[in-house]
Amino acid sequence: MAAANRCPHAGSGRSREVTRRRRDRALNLESLEPRLALATGLLATLVSIVDDSGNNLLAASSADQAAPVAEGQQLTASVKLTRQPDAPVRVGFATPDPSEVDLVSSSSLLFTRTNWNIPQRLSIRGIEDGVADSTRQIPLRVFIATAARAPLTKPLWIESLDSGLLSPMIAASGTFKGSLEGTGSSGTVAATYVFDKGTATFRVTSSQLAGVRDKVISIDYAVNSANKIVVQAVRGFTPTGVKLDLTYRVGSDGVPGLSGTLTLSQPTLRKQAVFRVTAALVTTGVPRLEGYALSPAARANVGGSPEGVAIGADGAAWVANPGLNSVQRLVREQGVWKVTDTVPVGNGAKRIAVAPDGSAWVTNGADNTIQQIAKTNGVWMSRARVTVEANPSAIVVAKDGSVWVASSTVNVVQRITAAYGSPYISVTLPVDAGPVALAMAKDGAIWVVCASAHSIQRVSNVGGAWGIDAPIAVGSNPSSISAAIDGSLWIANTGSNSIQRIIQQGNAWKAQAPILVGSAVSSVTAHPDGSVWVTYVTGGTIGRFVATKTGWESQPLIPVGEPLSAIAVAPDGSLLVADAQTGTLNACTAVPS
């Protein structure tokens, strides 16, 4: 019986011993090193980082053990010390890729003899970067230091779970600077970036490659519709030995950047090195050192009261002039715009659009028709009018050459196509109240601005049938729309003195928060360099907005004249602004700052 009584007792001792060993192993697992002694004596002070589900984040010491966090969500953990330290201990965190994960809480935590066992919060957020770049493993560095010894570091791994959402690029150009990191490798990257193309220069040192010591590799690249970097040309290294898995994205601070990997291979030597690439825009906005100003010598007198302006891919400008019941064509010679053709059209010519073949289409508001102006035997002439619904208020020509026109009285949009040379109405779609403006987006869809309903709608072809999406609410009394080169759209809200950017997130289109512009705007146009131009209802000025690290910022206003009726941008970036009162077109061009 005594022996029987002793067995459980002895067993308990072994059980406690096993428990103690397991606890020691757990403590070692939590430490930055197996025995990281930050205090004197036999007992070490260790760091514990445990997430809200109980997982020890310090266990994520390799990519295959990475702690997961989804884009748009947060991973939270408690950080504390396991024993009282002799001196203050600072635990810091840093991420080499702020465009993928972001440290929401403080990146530096201080523990003392009084708060060593009180958990402090660590929050890591997955950045919704708008790039379909699959799931990625991101290193997170942990630093631990006391006044008595140099800092010790340990890499943790975070698994960024891609949401699959795709957003257009921010319209910005500039200079990107950043770093290269890899096992036994280091370097820098500097990239010039002009909206959707650029050149990246990598200065690389690698112990894993032969002859790669401070080597300069230059790569010309383009950015595709999925925001992926596509290599165009390679200099300084064997092109077949270069693999660039890089994406353009925007970090949590709103700063555009480049992120991904650069792989350099020397197959004949069986050598390869992988570098992690991180680079961010270092300028405060559109970086070209230039401003804009009117060019008085380039002012064109067209007479009448010009109401609509459009510029074709060939650089020629078209003006709808109801004061003359005509359409005028202008070309630029040695910087000066000149009227080369004046073509009579129907009554109340007001809005105009240019077709891919260089011809133009105009709305005749007073007789409810639209009309094409095309060359016949080398002479620009108007063709037969096409009757549409009452009060045609806007017109646009699609990529396929079909024409879309909006009726602000009947609240419809109509598609005009040609059969055997004769145009006819092939589609009529009801829209929200008061359609006043149309634009064709980069993807070929047609967008409608409905002023009375304070909304916009998207018209697209799905499965061979034209349909219209549900309205998207925007600011008060939207009056104008313009498609940007990055796939987004801009609208002017005259009633709420604002402009708004429309972007695609996943399969949905979303209106971003309005940007107040200080005065009522009448029209908006997206510039090839990514900036946005507006005309103001009163004051006779035009304004420019550029993307910066803190948002879209306005540039100095440029006085033109009053009232301004239209603005259009040429392929070379210069602008034409119509002054209905003086019957002039005013050219605005870039000048050195």
Side-chain angles (χ1 to χ4, degrees):
M1 180 66 69
N5 289 336
R6 283 197 301 270
C7 287
H9 207 41
S12 296
R14 286 194 297 271
S15 176
R16 284 195 297 270
E17 176 65 19
V18 171
T19 301
R20 185 185 65 79
R21 290 177 181 174
R22 288 176 178 171
R23 184 168 60 248
D24 285 348
R25 284 200 296 271
L27 289 174
N28 290 340
L29 187 64
E30 292 174 350
S31 67
L32 292 175
E33 293 180 348
R35 296 298 296 173
L36 176 57
L38 292 175
T40 58
L42 297 177
L43 297 179
T45 297
L46 308 176
V47 177
S48 169
I49 307 176
V50 179
D51 70 17
D52 288 347
S53 65
N55 294 319
N56 187 338
L57 293 192
L58 284 170
S61 57
S62 61
D64 59 349
Q65 298 172 323
V69 58
E71 289 185 349
Q73 298 183 16
Q74 287 188 189
L75 170 68
T76 57
S78 295
V79 184
K80 64 178 182 178
L81 304 186
T82 59
R83 295 186 180 91
Q84 188 179 59
D86 287 349
V89 176
R90 185 169 294 279
V91 181
F93 304 88
T95 171
D97 195 347
S99 64
E100 195 71 50
V101 294
D102 179 36
L103 295 171
V104 182
S105 57
S106 174
S107 60
S108 180
L109 307 177
L110 181 64
F111 295 93
T112 66
R113 291 180 60 82
T114 58
N115 75 340
W116 63 274
N117 60 347
I118 300 175
Q120 298 187 41
R121 300 297 282 172
L122 169 67
S123 294
I124 304 167
R125 178 175 59 200
I127 302 301
E128 184 58 80
D129 52 21
V131 178
D133 55 357
S134 70
T135 296
R136 305 175 67 195
Q137 277 70 42
I138 310 298
L140 180 71
R141 294 193 194 90
V142 184
F143 304 85
I144 185 169
T146 66
R149 63 182 301 170
L152 297 171
T153 66
K154 178 183 178 68
L156 305 184
W157 286 85
I158 303 298
E159 185 177 47
S160 175
L161 305 177
D162 185 43
S163 67
L165 293 178
L166 182 64
S167 299
M169 296 176 291
I170 280 188
S173 57
T175 300
F176 291 79
K177 289 186 178 179
S179 62
L180 303 177
E181 295 183 20
T183 304
S185 307
S186 64
T188 61
V189 55
T192 57
Y193 178 73
V194 183
F195 198 75
D196 58 357
K197 61 183 178 180
T199 299
T201 302
F202 300 91
R203 188 176 291 275
V204 186
T205 294
S206 176
S207 60
Q208 296 174 297
L209 299 171
V212 179
R213 301 293 182 272
D214 200 29
K215 189 173 186 61
V216 175
I217 301 171
S218 182
I219 299 177
D220 295 335
Y221 66 87
V223 184
N224 65 17
S225 59
N227 295 351
K228 297 288 290 184
I229 301 301
V230 180
V231 175
Q232 305 290 309
V234 177
R235 294 175 294 277
F237 203 86
T238 304
T240 55
V242 174
K243 179 182 178 182
L244 192 61
D245 185 8
L246 209 60
T247 55
Y248 170 100
R249 67 187 69 212
V250 178
S252 60
D253 53 4
V255 180
L258 303 174
S259 177
T261 59
L262 168 68
T263 302
L264 300 179
S265 302
Q266 296 172 329
T268 57
L269 301 178
R270 296 184 179 180
K271 295 180 179 292
Q272 178 177 287
V274 179
F275 303 83
R276 182 161 196 84
V277 181
T278 303
L281 186 69
V282 295
T283 58
T284 57
V286 177
R288 296 190 301 172
L289 297 178
E290 63 185 23
Y292 281 81
L294 289 179
S295 307
R299 175 175 294 180
N301 293 306
V302 296
S305 53
E307 286 286 344
V309 178
I311 302 177
D314 60 357
W318 291 88
V319 179
N321 199 324
L324 302 176
N325 284 332
S326 69
V327 165
Q328 294 160 296
R329 186 175 186 269
L330 295 88
V331 297
R332 186 168 43 184
E333 297 177 357
Q334 296 181 342
V336 179
W337 288 96
K338 296 181 179 180
V339 178
T340 59
D341 300 271
T342 299
V343 182
V345 291
N347 296 319
K350 205 163 188 179
R351 298 289 177 253
I352 194 162
V354 183
D357 62 4
S359 66
W361 284 83
V362 64
T363 64
N364 300 313
D367 57 17
N368 301 328
T369 63
I370 64 171
Q371 206 166 0
Q372 185 184 24
I373 298 90
K375 264 189 176 181
T376 302
N377 298 325
V379 179
W380 290 100
M381 301 178 64
S382 58
R383 295 184 175 174
R385 304 178 208 178
V386 179
T387 300
V388 294
E389 293 288 359
N391 193 18
S393 52
I395 193 167
V396 68
V397 183
K399 291 181 179 179
D400 61 3
S402 62
V403 179
W404 288 85
V405 62
S407 165
S408 60
T409 300
V410 186
N411 300 331
V412 297
V413 293
Q414 294 177 287
R415 181 174 184 257
I416 291 86
T417 55
Y420 305 104
S422 298
Y424 69 100
I425 297 172
S426 60
V427 175
T428 298
L429 296 172
V431 295
D432 261 3
V436 295
L438 295 170
M440 182 187 67
K442 187 177 180 181
D443 62 1
I446 305 299
W447 285 84
V448 190
V449 173
C450 301
S452 301
H454 315 300
S455 67
I456 60 173
Q457 289 180 277
R458 182 175 181 267
V459 182
S460 61
N461 190 300
V462 179
W466 289 95
I468 190 158
D469 293 347
I472 300 173
V474 293
S476 174
N477 193 23
S479 57
S480 176
I481 187 167
S482 180
I485 194 171
D486 65 349
S488 64
L489 296 105
W490 286 90
I491 60 170
N493 299 312
T494 300
S496 53
N497 303 339
S498 66
I499 58 176
Q500 269 180 287
R501 186 168 181 246
I502 315 300
I503 64 170
Q504 186 178 19
Q505 291 187 335
N507 295 322
W509 288 87
K510 176 184 177 182
Q512 293 186 323
I515 301 169
L516 296 179
V517 297
S519 180
V521 293
S522 57
S523 59
V524 61
T525 189
H527 196 276
D529 69 1
S531 63
V532 184
W533 287 82
V534 299
T535 61
Y536 292 97
V537 175
T538 57
T541 58
I542 60 176
R544 183 176 185 236
F545 290 80
V546 299
T548 72
K549 290 183 178 181
T550 56
W552 292 86
E553 294 184 0
S554 62
Q555 304 299 294
L557 298 178
I558 300 174
V560 180
E562 191 176 358
L564 303 179
S565 52
I567 184 171
V569 61
D572 66 355
S574 62
L575 298 108
L576 276 180
V577 188
D579 185 335
Q581 182 169 321
T582 62
T584 60
L585 287 183
N586 302 274
C588 183
T589 57
V591 294
S593 295

